[in-house]
Amino acid sequence: TLYESLVENFKRLVTLDEDTSNFEEQYDGWNFLFTSIKGNAEEENTVKLLQHIAEDAGFNTEFAYIDDIDFSDEDGIVYNELNYELWFKLIPWEDLALEESDLAMILTNIIKHQKAIIFNPADTLMFQSKGILKILWDLYPNHPLLLETSFEPLVSQKQVEKPIFGREGG
């Protein structure tokens, strides 16, 4: 039942309601774009699986690489001359912020002007960053649910080094 649960959850993400019985009436014709970067087959396959699930949920879906999409403050997210109300990307926000700052600003305006709903929004970056662990340790030193965290090596302690922005266990 995992697949069926994911299909229902796609509907709930948009309706924000447990009851999805009127989903088709309200969201018929909504366009949902799924995106990854070129050259990472594992991430592309993950995105395409999610696209398939969303299609089974009743969305009109399309897949595109990020380099092939047009973004604008006025039109929102456009691919093949079609506007997309919903966008899922498996591209880290830190990459967009550091390498594509103009795009990050356009996406901010798209969200602000309600041109599209972006799944995995930018505020998730705060929780994806390992830097939050240092901030939490500073705020709550010796908390039983936290491990001591520092930007510098800890003296005489076993430790691991984690990048501030890392993916898949990096």
Side-chain angles (χ1 to χ4, degrees), residues 55-66:
E55 201 165 276
D56 281 353
F59 293 101
N60 298 324
T61 71
E62 188 67 54
F63 174 86
Y65 296 111
I66 192 160

Side-chain angles (χ1 to χ4, degrees), residues 31 33 66 68-87 102-103 105-118:
N31 299 310
L33 185 62
I66 192 160
D68 300 330
I69 302 170
D70 293 317
F71 301 92
S72 78
D73 295 333
E74 298 81 30
D75 298 323
I77 299 169
V78 179
Y79 175 68
N80 282 344
E81 299 182 19
L82 185 63
N83 285 67
Y84 285 85
E85 293 92 356
L86 306 166
W87 185 46
D102 290 344
L103 176 57
M105 292 308 301
I106 291 170
L107 291 173
T108 299
N109 290 330
I110 287 172
I111 294 167
K112 203 182 293 185
H113 298 115
Q114 300 179 346
K115 296 289 184 178
I117 297 170
I118 300 175

Side-chain angles (χ1 to χ4, degrees), residues 16-141:
L16 300 176
D17 195 347
E18 283 295 313
D19 180 13
T20 61
S21 59
N22 64 350
F23 174 82
E24 285 80 14
E25 294 169 22
Q26 290 182 293
Y27 301 99
D28 185 42
W30 277 42
N31 299 310
F32 203 148
L33 185 62
F34 288 80
T35 303
S36 71
I37 57 172
K38 290 179 184 173
N40 188 324
E42 183 178 345
E43 289 188 6
E44 184 176 327
N45 288 335
T46 298
V47 171
K48 287 184 176 180
L49 173 61
L50 292 172
Q51 175 193 1
H52 182 76
I53 294 168
E55 201 165 276
D56 281 353
F59 293 101
N60 298 324
T61 71
E62 188 67 54
F63 174 86
Y65 296 111
I66 192 160
D67 295 339
D68 300 330
I69 302 170
D70 293 317
F71 301 92
S72 78
D73 295 333
E74 298 81 30
D75 298 323
I77 299 169
V78 179
Y79 175 68
N80 282 344
E81 299 182 19
L82 185 63
N83 285 67
Y84 285 85
E85 293 92 356
L86 306 166
W87 185 46
F88 176 85
K89 60 164 195 55
L90 194 57
I91 301 162
W93 278 102
E94 60 268 23
D95 290 355
L96 292 175
L98 296 171
E99 298 168 18
E100 299 285 345
S101 58
D102 290 344
L103 176 57
M105 292 308 301
I106 291 170
L107 291 173
T108 299
N109 290 330
I110 287 172
I111 294 167
K112 203 182 293 185
H113 298 115
Q114 300 179 346
K115 296 289 184 178
I117 297 170
I118 300 175
F119 288 86
N120 62 338
D123 57 349
T124 60
L125 174 60
M126 182 172 71
F127 300 106
Q128 294 167 350
S129 166
K130 305 305 180 281
I132 191 73
L133 298 173
K134 167 72 167 106
I135 293 167
L136 289 171
W137 183 259
D138 289 346
L139 291 171
Y140 307 101

